[in-house]
Amino acid sequence: MPDSVLAGGVPSIPEFRPIQKTVFAERAQRLRDLAQGHAMQEYLLFASAVARAQAGELELFPDTPVPDRARLEHCQRNGLPPLSIDSPPHVGWQNGLQRLLDALNQEALPPRAAQIVTTLHDADAAALERDRANVLAGAYAEIDPGRAPFIGAALQVHWAKMALRLGKSGRSAGVEFGLCPVCGSPPVVSVIQTGGAKQGLRYLVCSLCASQWHVVRVKCTACASTKGVSYLFIEGGTDAVKAECCDECKTYLKILYLDKDNRMESTADDLATLALDMLVDEKGFRRVGPNLLLSPG
Ligand SMILES: [Zn+2]
Ligand SMILES: [Zn+2]
Protein backbone atom coordinates (compact mmCIF):
# COMPACT_ATOMS: atom_id res chain seq x y z
CA MET A 1 0.00 0.00 0.00
CA PRO A 2 1.32 3.50 -0.74
CA ASP A 3 2.78 5.23 2.28
CA SER A 4 0.38 8.14 2.38
CA VAL A 5 -3.00 7.31 0.86
CA LEU A 6 -6.21 9.22 1.11
CA ALA A 7 -8.60 7.32 3.37
CA GLY A 8 -12.03 8.92 3.48
CA GLY A 9 -10.52 12.24 2.44
CA VAL A 10 -8.14 12.32 5.40
CA PRO A 11 -4.47 11.82 4.61
CA SER A 12 -3.18 8.78 6.50
CA ILE A 13 -0.07 9.16 8.59
CA PRO A 14 3.20 7.86 7.13
CA GLU A 15 4.03 5.23 9.74
CA PHE A 16 7.62 4.78 8.69
CA ARG A 17 10.46 6.95 7.44
CA PRO A 18 13.39 4.88 6.12
CA ILE A 19 16.98 5.92 6.76
CA GLN A 20 18.49 8.47 4.36
CA LYS A 21 21.99 7.90 3.03
CA THR A 22 23.06 11.42 4.03
CA VAL A 23 22.43 10.70 7.72
CA PHE A 24 26.06 10.46 8.86
CA ALA A 25 27.29 13.41 6.79
CA GLU A 26 24.53 15.61 8.22
CA ARG A 27 25.30 14.38 11.73
CA ALA A 28 29.01 15.16 11.32
CA GLN A 29 28.22 18.70 10.17
CA ARG A 30 25.74 19.33 12.95
CA LEU A 31 28.16 18.05 15.60
CA ARG A 32 30.84 20.39 14.29
CA ASP A 33 28.42 23.34 14.41
CA LEU A 34 27.28 22.44 17.94
CA ALA A 35 30.86 22.16 19.16
CA GLN A 36 31.54 25.90 18.75
CA GLY A 37 31.81 27.39 22.24
CA HIS A 38 30.17 24.31 23.81
CA ALA A 39 31.27 23.01 27.22
CA MET A 40 31.70 19.57 25.57
CA GLN A 41 33.56 20.96 22.56
CA GLU A 42 36.30 18.34 22.49
CA TYR A 43 33.89 15.44 22.71
CA LEU A 44 31.53 16.86 20.09
CA LEU A 45 34.44 17.36 17.67
CA PHE A 46 35.52 13.78 18.33
CA ALA A 47 31.96 12.56 17.65
CA SER A 48 31.92 14.68 14.48
CA ALA A 49 35.11 12.96 13.29
CA VAL A 50 33.53 9.56 13.99
CA ALA A 51 30.36 10.50 12.06
CA ARG A 52 32.49 11.76 9.16
CA ALA A 53 34.29 8.40 9.07
CA GLN A 54 30.89 6.66 9.15
CA ALA A 55 29.74 8.77 6.17
CA GLY A 56 32.84 7.74 4.22
CA GLU A 57 32.34 4.06 5.03
CA LEU A 58 28.70 4.17 3.94
CA GLU A 59 29.66 5.89 0.69
CA LEU A 60 32.57 3.62 -0.24
CA PHE A 61 31.28 0.24 0.97
CA PRO A 62 27.51 0.30 0.61
CA ASP A 63 26.94 -3.45 0.22
CA THR A 64 26.17 -5.79 3.08
CA PRO A 65 24.12 -8.99 2.72
CA VAL A 66 20.45 -8.61 3.65
CA PRO A 67 17.75 -11.21 4.46
CA ASP A 68 16.11 -12.79 1.41
CA ARG A 69 12.49 -12.33 0.47
CA ALA A 70 11.28 -15.45 2.28
CA ARG A 71 12.91 -14.26 5.50
CA LEU A 72 11.40 -10.78 5.11
CA GLU A 73 7.94 -12.29 4.61
CA HIS A 74 8.39 -14.52 7.64
CA CYS A 75 9.32 -11.49 9.77
CA GLN A 76 6.42 -9.46 8.47
CA ARG A 77 3.96 -12.27 9.18
CA ASN A 78 5.23 -12.70 12.72
CA GLY A 79 5.91 -9.10 13.79
CA LEU A 80 9.67 -9.66 13.96
CA PRO A 81 12.22 -6.98 13.03
CA PRO A 82 13.91 -8.21 9.79
CA LEU A 83 17.37 -6.93 10.81
CA SER A 84 17.05 -8.05 14.42
CA ILE A 85 19.94 -7.31 16.76
CA ASP A 86 19.26 -10.74 18.28
CA SER A 87 20.92 -12.40 15.28
CA PRO A 88 24.72 -12.01 15.09
CA PRO A 89 25.62 -9.68 12.20
CA HIS A 90 27.62 -10.66 9.13
CA VAL A 91 31.32 -10.75 10.03
CA GLY A 92 31.87 -7.91 7.54
CA TRP A 93 31.01 -5.46 10.32
CA GLN A 94 34.53 -6.01 11.63
CA ASN A 95 36.06 -5.02 8.28
CA GLY A 96 33.94 -1.88 8.45
CA LEU A 97 35.26 -1.20 11.94
CA GLN A 98 38.87 -1.49 10.74
CA ARG A 99 38.20 0.94 7.88
CA LEU A 100 36.57 3.37 10.33
CA LEU A 101 39.67 3.16 12.52
CA ASP A 102 41.92 3.76 9.48
CA ALA A 103 39.89 6.84 8.59
CA LEU A 104 40.04 8.09 12.18
CA ASN A 105 43.82 7.63 12.21
CA GLN A 106 43.94 10.54 9.75
CA GLU A 107 42.07 12.79 12.19
CA ALA A 108 43.45 14.87 15.07
CA LEU A 109 41.93 12.85 17.90
CA PRO A 110 42.34 13.46 21.64
CA PRO A 111 45.28 11.31 22.92
CA ARG A 112 43.06 8.83 24.78
CA ALA A 113 40.89 8.25 21.70
CA ALA A 114 43.96 7.82 19.48
CA GLN A 115 45.26 5.20 21.90
CA ILE A 116 41.97 3.28 21.76
CA VAL A 117 42.04 3.35 17.96
CA THR A 118 45.41 1.56 18.11
CA THR A 119 44.19 -0.97 20.68
CA LEU A 120 41.10 -1.79 18.65
CA HIS A 121 43.16 -2.16 15.49
CA ASP A 122 45.08 -4.96 17.16
CA ALA A 123 42.10 -6.56 18.94
CA ASP A 124 41.26 -10.14 17.95
CA ALA A 125 37.97 -11.06 16.32
CA ALA A 126 36.60 -12.88 19.37
CA ALA A 127 37.17 -9.85 21.62
CA LEU A 128 35.42 -7.60 19.11
CA GLU A 129 32.47 -9.99 18.96
CA ARG A 130 32.18 -9.77 22.75
CA ASP A 131 32.25 -5.96 22.54
CA ARG A 132 29.61 -6.10 19.81
CA ALA A 133 27.31 -8.30 21.88
CA ASN A 134 27.70 -6.06 24.95
CA VAL A 135 27.01 -2.83 23.07
CA LEU A 136 23.91 -4.25 21.39
CA ALA A 137 22.65 -5.63 24.70
CA GLY A 138 23.30 -2.30 26.46
CA ALA A 139 25.65 -4.14 28.86
CA TYR A 140 27.96 -1.18 29.33
CA ALA A 141 29.40 -2.44 32.59
CA GLU A 142 30.98 -5.25 30.55
CA ILE A 143 32.83 -3.08 28.03
CA ASP A 144 35.68 -0.56 28.25
CA PRO A 145 33.78 2.74 28.01
CA GLY A 146 36.43 4.18 25.70
CA ARG A 147 35.88 1.40 23.15
CA ALA A 148 32.09 1.60 23.18
CA PRO A 149 31.65 4.59 20.80
CA PHE A 150 33.90 3.00 18.15
CA ILE A 151 32.11 -0.33 18.32
CA GLY A 152 28.75 1.48 18.35
CA ALA A 153 29.75 3.57 15.34
CA ALA A 154 30.81 0.51 13.33
CA LEU A 155 27.54 -1.25 14.17
CA GLN A 156 25.52 1.82 13.18
CA VAL A 157 27.13 1.85 9.73
CA HIS A 158 26.72 -1.89 9.31
CA TRP A 159 22.99 -1.68 10.10
CA ALA A 160 22.59 1.50 8.06
CA LYS A 161 23.94 -0.32 4.97
CA MET A 162 21.38 -3.09 5.39
CA ALA A 163 18.50 -0.72 6.22
CA LEU A 164 19.31 1.41 3.15
CA ARG A 165 19.28 -1.64 0.87
CA LEU A 166 15.89 -2.77 2.19
CA GLY A 167 14.23 0.68 2.29
CA LYS A 168 10.55 0.45 3.15
CA SER A 169 10.57 -3.34 2.83
CA GLY A 170 12.81 -3.49 5.91
CA ARG A 171 9.97 -2.49 8.20
CA SER A 172 7.84 -5.07 9.94
CA ALA A 173 4.46 -4.09 11.36
CA GLY A 174 3.61 -5.41 14.82
CA VAL A 175 7.09 -5.26 16.34
CA GLU A 176 6.98 -4.76 20.12
CA PHE A 177 5.88 -1.24 21.08
CA GLY A 178 8.74 1.19 21.58
CA LEU A 179 11.28 -0.76 19.52
CA CYS A 180 12.55 -0.12 15.98
CA PRO A 181 10.43 -1.98 13.40
CA VAL A 182 13.57 -2.70 11.35
CA CYS A 183 16.15 -3.87 13.91
CA GLY A 184 14.39 -4.03 17.30
CA SER A 185 16.66 -1.46 19.00
CA PRO A 186 15.34 1.24 21.34
CA PRO A 187 15.15 4.85 20.10
CA VAL A 188 17.78 7.54 20.73
CA VAL A 189 15.24 10.43 20.75
CA SER A 190 11.87 11.34 19.33
CA VAL A 191 11.44 14.21 16.88
CA ILE A 192 8.43 16.44 16.18
CA GLN A 193 8.57 17.01 12.44
CA THR A 194 7.76 20.08 10.41
CA GLY A 195 6.59 20.58 6.85
CA GLY A 196 4.11 18.89 4.52
CA ALA A 197 2.32 15.70 5.49
CA LYS A 198 4.55 15.15 8.50
CA GLN A 199 3.93 18.57 10.13
CA GLY A 200 3.55 18.13 13.88
CA LEU A 201 3.92 14.35 13.78
CA ARG A 202 6.21 12.60 16.23
CA TYR A 203 8.73 9.99 15.04
CA LEU A 204 11.07 7.88 17.12
CA VAL A 205 14.59 7.60 15.72
CA CYS A 206 16.39 4.27 16.02
CA SER A 207 19.60 4.44 18.04
CA LEU A 208 21.21 1.86 15.74
CA CYS A 209 19.87 1.95 12.15
CA ALA A 210 18.42 5.53 12.13
CA SER A 211 15.03 4.37 10.81
CA GLN A 212 12.10 6.44 12.06
CA TRP A 213 8.66 5.28 13.10
CA HIS A 214 5.54 7.13 14.11
CA VAL A 215 4.21 7.23 17.68
CA VAL A 216 1.39 9.58 18.68
CA ARG A 217 2.35 12.46 20.96
CA VAL A 218 1.70 12.66 24.70
CA LYS A 219 2.22 8.92 25.06
CA CYS A 220 5.14 7.32 26.86
CA THR A 221 7.31 5.78 24.15
CA ALA A 222 8.35 2.93 26.45
CA CYS A 223 5.11 1.75 28.12
CA ALA A 224 2.45 3.54 26.00
CA SER A 225 0.89 5.18 29.06
CA THR A 226 -0.77 8.56 28.57
CA LYS A 227 -0.99 9.19 32.32
CA GLY A 228 1.72 11.02 34.21
CA VAL A 229 3.78 12.12 31.17
CA SER A 230 5.65 15.35 31.90
CA TYR A 231 8.27 17.43 30.12
CA LEU A 232 11.46 18.65 31.76
CA PHE A 233 13.94 21.09 30.30
CA ILE A 234 16.79 23.23 31.52
CA GLU A 235 15.74 26.69 32.73
CA GLY A 236 17.41 29.31 30.58
CA GLY A 237 18.51 26.66 28.03
CA THR A 238 16.89 25.71 24.73
CA ASP A 239 13.21 24.80 24.78
CA ALA A 240 13.65 22.95 21.49
CA VAL A 241 14.80 19.86 23.42
CA LYS A 242 12.86 18.46 26.38
CA ALA A 243 12.89 15.22 28.31
CA GLU A 244 9.58 13.38 28.10
CA CYS A 245 9.30 11.64 31.47
CA CYS A 246 6.82 8.93 32.43
CA ASP A 247 5.70 8.44 36.02
CA GLU A 248 4.26 5.00 35.21
CA CYS A 249 7.49 3.31 34.13
CA LYS A 250 9.99 5.92 35.38
CA THR A 251 11.75 6.25 32.03
CA TYR A 252 12.43 9.21 29.78
CA LEU A 253 13.29 9.97 26.18
CA LYS A 254 14.28 13.35 24.80
CA ILE A 255 11.96 15.02 22.35
CA LEU A 256 13.27 17.44 19.70
CA TYR A 257 10.93 20.13 18.33
CA LEU A 258 12.04 20.93 14.80
CA ASP A 259 9.57 23.83 14.58
CA LYS A 260 11.68 25.56 17.22
CA ASP A 261 15.02 24.75 15.57
CA ASN A 262 15.03 22.91 12.24
CA ARG A 263 18.82 22.52 12.19
CA MET A 264 18.66 19.78 14.83
CA GLU A 265 19.81 16.23 14.14
CA SER A 266 18.76 13.36 16.41
CA THR A 267 22.03 11.87 17.62
CA ALA A 268 24.03 15.13 17.50
CA ASP A 269 21.54 17.22 19.47
CA ASP A 270 21.03 14.42 21.94
CA LEU A 271 24.79 14.36 22.65
CA ALA A 272 24.97 18.14 22.97
CA THR A 273 22.23 18.16 25.63
CA LEU A 274 23.87 15.78 28.08
CA ALA A 275 23.20 18.29 30.88
CA LEU A 276 19.49 17.54 30.48
CA ASP A 277 20.17 13.81 30.98
CA MET A 278 21.93 14.61 34.23
CA LEU A 279 19.02 16.71 35.47
CA VAL A 280 16.45 14.03 34.66
CA ASP A 281 18.66 11.28 36.01
CA GLU A 282 18.78 13.07 39.38
CA LYS A 283 14.99 12.97 39.47
CA GLY A 284 15.08 9.19 39.21
CA PHE A 285 14.14 8.58 35.58
CA ARG A 286 15.99 5.98 33.50
CA ARG A 287 16.84 6.68 29.88
CA VAL A 288 15.00 4.49 27.33
CA GLY A 289 17.67 4.05 24.63
CA PRO A 290 21.39 4.72 24.25
CA ASN A 291 23.33 7.22 22.20
CA LEU A 292 25.90 4.92 20.65
CA LEU A 293 28.39 7.75 20.09
CA LEU A 294 28.52 8.52 23.79
CA SER A 295 31.24 6.99 25.89
CA PRO A 296 29.31 5.53 28.86
CA GLY A 297 32.22 6.07 31.27
ZN1 LIG B 1 16.68 0.20 13.93
ZN1 LIG C 1 6.14 4.80 30.59
Side-chain angles (χ1 to χ4, degrees):
M1 188 185 285
D3 201 33
S4 183
V5 291
L6 288 173
V10 180
S12 72
I13 290 170
E15 287 295 328
F16 180 65
R17 304 184 71 217
I19 179 178
Q20 303 295 307
K21 66 173 185 237
T22 52
V23 63
F24 297 118
E26 288 170 4
R27 188 170 295 167
Q29 180 63 49
R30 178 64 175 159
L31 283 162
R32 197 163 44 202
D33 293 346
L34 284 165
Q36 304 305 320
H38 196 287
M40 287 172 59
Q41 182 174 40
E42 188 182 74
Y43 198 86
L44 296 177
L45 288 175
F46 160 70
S48 177
V50 173
R52 196 157 51 245
Q54 289 177 298
E57 171 65 15
L58 190 64
E59 186 79 25
L60 292 172
F61 296 90
D63 290 340
T64 291
V66 289
D68 61 20
R69 196 173 161 160
R71 176 72 195 159
L72 289 178
E73 284 173 3
H74 169 81
C75 289
Q76 271 141 14
R77 267 198 311 276
N78 295 284
L80 300 170
L83 302 178
S84 174
I85 51 172
D86 294 335
S87 309
H90 186 269
V91 68
W93 84 269
Q94 290 206 9
N95 301 332
L97 170 67
Q98 295 303 337
R99 287 190 295 264
L100 276 189
L101 297 172
D102 287 340
L104 285 165
N105 250 332
Q106 315 299 316
E107 302 269 357
L109 297 181
R112 167 93 176 113
Q115 197 183 4
I116 293 167
V117 166
T118 307
T119 314
L120 278 173
H121 231 304
D122 300 336
D124 65 52
L128 293 175
E129 284 304 325
R130 281 195 298 279
D131 286 345
R132 185 267 305 162
N134 286 328
V135 166
L136 291 182
Y140 287 109
E142 306 297 321
I143 183 171
D144 175 344
R147 288 162 79 111
F150 296 97
I151 302 290
L155 294 171
Q156 282 181 332
V157 184
H158 184 78
W159 256 269
K161 290 172 185 173
M162 294 190 288
L164 268 172
R165 285 190 67 186
L166 291 180
K168 286 183 180 167
S169 67
R171 170 194 177 236
S172 176
V175 168
E176 185 182 336
F177 181 80
L179 299 181
C180 173
V182 177
C183 76
S185 293
V188 59
V189 292
S190 78
V191 178
I192 304 294
Q193 291 289 342
T194 55
K198 60 189 190 305
Q199 172 70 35
L201 296 177
R202 186 255 284 273
Y203 289 87
L204 271 57
V205 182
C206 178
S207 55
L208 181 66
C209 77
S211 300
Q212 301 189 17
W213 67 103
H214 175 253
V215 174
V216 293
R217 294 167 71 162
V218 204
K219 184 182 232 183
C220 171
T221 58
C223 76
S225 170
T226 51
K227 287 179 286 183
V229 174
S230 58
Y231 297 86
L232 298 180
F233 59 100
I234 293 182
E235 293 287 340
T238 177
D239 66 346
V241 181
K242 293 180 181 171
E244 188 177 62
C245 305
C246 173
D247 278 334
E248 293 285 310
C249 69
K250 285 287 171 193
T251 68
Y252 77 95
L253 187 71
K254 282 183 207 158
I255 181 163
L256 277 48
Y257 298 86
L258 290 188
D259 60 331
K260 294 186 172 151
D261 184 352
N262 65 8
R263 297 165 304 173
M264 292 194 291
E265 192 280 332
S266 57
T267 301
D269 283 83
D270 176 52
L271 262 191
T273 52
L274 199 58
L276 181 56
D277 292 276
M278 291 170 180
L279 174 87
V280 180
D281 197 58
E282 278 170 16
K283 294 188 183 295
F285 294 98
R286 182 178 53 82
R287 195 176 148 120
V288 164
N291 186 319
L292 294 179
L293 293 187
L294 181 65
S295 173

